[in-house]
Amino acid sequence: MQWETVIGLEIHAQLATRSKIFSGASTAYGAEPNTQACAIDLGLPGVLPVINEQAIAMAVRFGLAIDAHITPRSVFARKNYFYPDLPKGYQISQYEAPIVAQGRITIDVDGQSKTINITRAHLEEDAGKSLHEDFHGASGIDLNRAGTPLLEIVSEPEMRSAAEAAAYMREIHRLVRYLGICDGNMQEGSFRCDANVSVRPKGQEAFGTRAEIKNLNSFRFIERAIEFEVERQVEIIENGGKVVQETRLYDPDKDETRPLRSKEDAHDYRYFPDPDLLPVTVSAEDIAAIRASMPELPRAKLARFVETLGLSPEEASTLANDPDTANYFELAIAAQPAQARQVANWVSGELFGALNRDNLGIAASPIKPAQLGQLVERIVDGTLSGKLAKQVFATMWASGRDADDIIAAEGLRQVSDTHLIEVAVRDILEQNPDQVEQFRAGKEKVLGFLVGQVMKKTGGKANPALVNQLIKAALAN
């Protein structure tokens, strides 16, 4: 029998507010446990939550980016369940009237584009965090994360492979970073995902019984977890068993999913409107103001890089994939847009190489965008050869100095004086008669050796193109 995979994702994007969604407590990551949870986050008697307006604006920003309906009057509800890291016994979330509904996003897999519909994106507070590694035979609770604002983005079950699920997760990740509403740090839990996975006979309309895989925090893990889960479910059914609706966790060390708890349905949570919070209203004027502040979105930027700057789709994708990289590139070409292709090559080549070697993000690059633009300009105007430019780049990386300062101080200007190079060429040919004879006998590879000798004699400063031209002319006589 042929089987079809059905996948829907629930992505949790931690919103980049400085304070929590219903209190003034800090959301900064890395503080000592239980030092950033106030009475409101813990739900102590007598306290009242107050909505963080910035979280609402960020949710609307996301809704506009996915062409969704922005609900003019949304409501917060209490989602009731007991869990050790949720001391209130309920989570403030949205249920019947989420702030964002019915959006869509396009993904690309194997050269094919596909639109995934987004059911809803609702605001809610995060729970605390259980700590197991530092406690033998017990668990600790850190409530610093309690009350951190989340945007839960729920897709329709329209993905049909692990690759599509990973592509969807990447697209949402790229979008929230472009919008500036989430830092996307998956190691710190700022961006994570639950995957609902089921299988059904190919051609059948009814869905199979699904399992939910919780808290996937890497693109690689989501693919591996789904692939394992699909194999597990197919094996159960083909052996005459039934898939159980449940919540599972993914163990990356064993590359398997395991049962975590039975899966609850919505009615198990006994949702009801939170009596302490008024409905949230978003006016047309609010939406217009947020729309006016929207940045260029990643797909539009990629298309502009191709159509306006003449980059290939692959080059444009490399530069537009990350907002920090795209910003760096655009600042580097600000003075000389015509040099976009050369700058793109240096960003994706030498700069990425140095950043990876020193484990730095592009925002922390010792070479600023305008400095890289100046370096490329010195290649284009003939001041530097490619080899000298790499030498200057290395000094810039180590010192943070400008290319022009290094060229002047170290005498690295490329030599393009025809007479000086002709003298060097004549000397090299006289010193290497055997190689000259070999070249004239048809062994053209010897030309590279002779060019190298001239470059060596000139300290690597001779214009390589001119050296090639003058050697060929001399050998032809």
Side-chain angles (χ1 to χ4, degrees):
M1 180 178 290
Q2 286 189 312
W3 297 92
E4 183 176 59
T5 303
V6 178
I7 305 165
L9 297 189
E10 299 172 11
I11 290 176
H12 290 86
Q14 180 178 311
L15 297 178
T17 58
R18 297 178 66 181
S19 59
K20 295 184 177 177
I21 188 168
F22 300 117
S23 81
S26 172
T27 58
Y29 179 82
E32 286 294 314
N34 298 311
T35 59
Q36 291 181 175
C38 70
I40 294 174
D41 305 324
L42 305 183
L44 297 184
V47 299
L48 289 173
V50 177
I51 185 67
N52 185 331
E53 287 187 29
Q54 198 177 13
I56 295 172
M58 289 180 174
V60 172
R61 201 171 173 83
F62 178 78
L64 293 176
I66 60 168
D67 196 23
H69 170 68
I70 308 300
T71 308
R73 185 179 184 276
S74 62
V75 177
F76 281 103
R78 290 187 179 181
K79 180 182 181 182
N80 298 275
Y81 64 97
F82 172 76
Y83 213 66
D85 56 17
L86 188 67
K88 291 187 295 191
Y90 63 87
Q91 178 189 29
I92 302 177
S93 182
Q94 294 188 314
Y95 180 54
E96 291 183 325
I99 191 166
V100 172
Q102 301 168 1
R104 63 201 57 81
I105 197 164
T106 300
I107 62 172
D108 298 312
V109 179
D110 297 331
Q112 300 293 317
S113 295
K114 179 176 180 177
T115 297
I116 304 296
N117 288 294
I118 294 174
T119 314
R120 55 192 279 147
H122 62 261
L123 288 163
E124 65 182 23
E125 60 178 346
D126 207 346
K129 186 176 182 181
S130 299
L131 306 174
H132 306 292
E133 294 180 354
D134 297 332
F135 301 90
H136 299 292
S139 295
I141 302 293
D142 178 7
L143 294 170
N144 281 353
R145 203 174 66 181
T148 298
L150 296 179
L151 188 66
E152 181 172 335
I153 305 157
V154 182
S155 80
E156 291 290 314
E158 295 177 339
M159 286 156 270
R160 295 291 175 264
S161 69
E164 286 188 5
Y168 171 82
M169 192 176 177
R170 284 193 178 91
E171 197 67 34
I172 296 288
H173 183 260
R174 183 167 66 157
L175 183 59
V176 296
R177 295 194 63 221
Y178 258 83
L179 294 170
I181 64 172
C182 174
D183 65 17
N185 191 320
M186 301 174 83
Q187 287 73 34
E188 295 178 359
S190 298
F191 189 88
R192 56 190 193 269
C193 172
D194 302 338
N196 286 286
V197 181
S198 65
V199 297
R200 62 184 175 186
K202 205 168 184 64
Q204 175 180 302
E205 288 192 14
F207 292 143
T209 302
R210 73 183 189 277
E212 181 186 49
I213 311 170
K214 294 290 286 184
N215 289 330
L216 297 163
N217 65 348
S218 95
F219 303 121
R220 184 165 57 94
F221 288 173
I222 192 173
E223 286 204 70
R224 289 170 56 181
I226 290 173
E227 286 168 355
F228 175 88
E229 185 58 24
V230 169
E231 285 185 21
R232 185 188 73 86
Q233 293 186 16
V234 169
E235 187 176 344
I236 288 173
I237 298 170
E238 290 187 340
N239 288 329
K242 289 186 176 180
V243 175
V244 176
Q245 182 174 329
E246 61 184 351
T247 297
R248 300 176 70 85
L249 60 81
Y250 174 67
D251 183 338
D253 294 328
K254 296 183 178 179
D255 193 22
E256 65 178 22
T257 67
R258 294 201 300 271
L260 184 63
R261 59 177 182 265
S262 60
K263 174 65 179 171
E264 300 90 348
D265 288 319
H267 64 264
D268 294 321
Y269 292 120
R270 294 172 289 115
Y271 282 97
F272 63 86
D274 192 305
D276 291 338
L277 285 161
L278 293 170
V280 174
T281 57
V282 181
S283 68
E285 291 75 18
D286 294 332
I287 294 173
I290 294 170
R291 191 188 298 279
S293 70
M294 293 284 283
E296 183 181 37
L297 299 180
R299 283 184 172 268
K301 191 179 289 290
L302 191 153
R304 180 169 59 81
F305 283 178
V306 173
E307 294 165 9
T308 305
L309 300 178
L311 303 185
S312 70
E314 292 75 20
E315 291 170 329
S317 178
T318 299
L319 296 169
N321 187 52
D322 171 76
D324 289 339
T325 301
N327 185 51
Y328 185 103
F329 170 68
E330 297 210 75
L331 290 172
I333 64 169
Q336 299 288 340
Q339 296 169 7
R341 170 63 60 78
Q342 293 91 330
V343 173
N345 289 338
W346 275 83
V347 170
S348 59
E350 292 296 315
L351 185 65
F352 277 5
L355 292 169
N356 289 336
R357 183 193 64 219
D358 292 354
N359 196 27
L360 292 175
I362 197 166
S365 169
I367 299 177
K368 302 307 174 193
Q371 291 178 304
L372 187 69
Q374 183 188 73
L375 175 66
V376 172
E377 192 173 346
R378 293 297 166 261
I379 301 169
V380 173
D381 68 16
T383 302
L384 293 174
S385 64
K387 184 177 180 180
L388 287 174
K390 289 183 179 180
Q391 186 177 336
V392 172
F393 178 91
T395 305
M396 292 170 69
W397 184 266
S399 67
R401 293 159 56 200
D402 290 344
D404 283 352
D405 291 344
I406 296 167
I407 293 167
E410 301 187 14
L412 294 176
R413 187 175 294 275
Q414 179 174 251
V415 175
S416 296
D417 184 308
T418 302
H419 175 68
L420 290 177
I421 297 177
E422 280 178 338
V423 171
V425 167
R426 188 166 58 247
D427 289 348
I428 291 301
L429 296 185
E430 288 175 356
Q431 293 165 14
N432 296 277
D434 292 343
Q435 284 76 12
V436 171
E437 191 61 32
Q438 289 172 22
F439 180 84
R440 286 174 172 157
K443 194 174 180 181
E444 296 187 355
K445 288 184 178 178
V446 176
L447 180 64
F449 168 79
L450 296 171
V451 170
Q453 291 303 302
V454 175
M455 295 302 293
K456 185 177 179 182
K457 186 176 179 64
T458 59
K461 298 177 185 176
N463 183 323
L466 193 53
V467 171
N468 262 282
Q469 176 189 333
L470 294 176
I471 285 184
K472 286 180 180 177
L475 290 171
N477 293 329

